Amino acid sequence: MANHKSALKRIRSNEAKRLRNRYQNKTTRTFVKRLKNTTDKAEAQELLKKVIGMIDKLSKNNIIHKNKAAHQKSQLTKFVAAL
């Protein structure tokens, strides 16, 4: 167990950040699945803008690696273009 006040606070803040990161990552994955299941091109293009913004935010906050973000955006853009 932590012996210092600052260590206890760090444990609390780390848990809060972990839950927030987990929520944002899961929400993004849900939107990616929703985009993949879309058959309407116009709807997919609108959803793509939102999903790319979410992926960029995850990358900026180091929740996912920047190369993974670039790869996901590339694949999703290719998918929407093929519709």
Side-chain angles (χ1 to χ4, degrees):
M1 189 60 199
N3 293 322
H4 298 283
K5 234 179 180 178
S6 60
L8 293 170
K9 181 178 180 182
R10 177 59 57 201
I11 290 169
R12 286 195 311 270
S13 65
N14 283 346
E15 180 64 13
K17 288 175 187 172
R18 184 185 74 83
L19 292 174
R20 187 180 323 115
N21 291 344
R22 193 170 160 212
Y23 171 77
Q24 288 176 344
N25 199 7
K26 180 64 178 168
T27 305
T28 303
R29 288 199 314 260
T30 304
F31 271 85
V32 168
K33 286 176 192 165
R34 196 179 297 172
L35 176 61
K36 288 262 187 174
N37 292 331
T38 305
T39 54
D40 180 35
K41 185 161 185 156
E43 183 184 340
Q45 286 175 332
E46 287 300 312
L47 202 52
L48 179 66
K49 289 178 188 174
K50 187 171 188 172
V51 170
I52 284 180
M54 294 169 90
I55 291 172
D56 283 337
K57 188 173 183 181
L58 291 178
S59 173
K60 183 181 79 172
N61 295 330
N62 291 322
I63 298 170
I64 60 173
H65 195 273
K66 65 184 178 84
N67 290 349
K68 178 180 179 171
H71 181 256
Q72 280 185 335
K73 291 191 303 185
S74 170
Q75 295 300 307
L76 291 172
T77 304
K78 235 164 59 170
F79 171 77
V80 170
L83 283 179

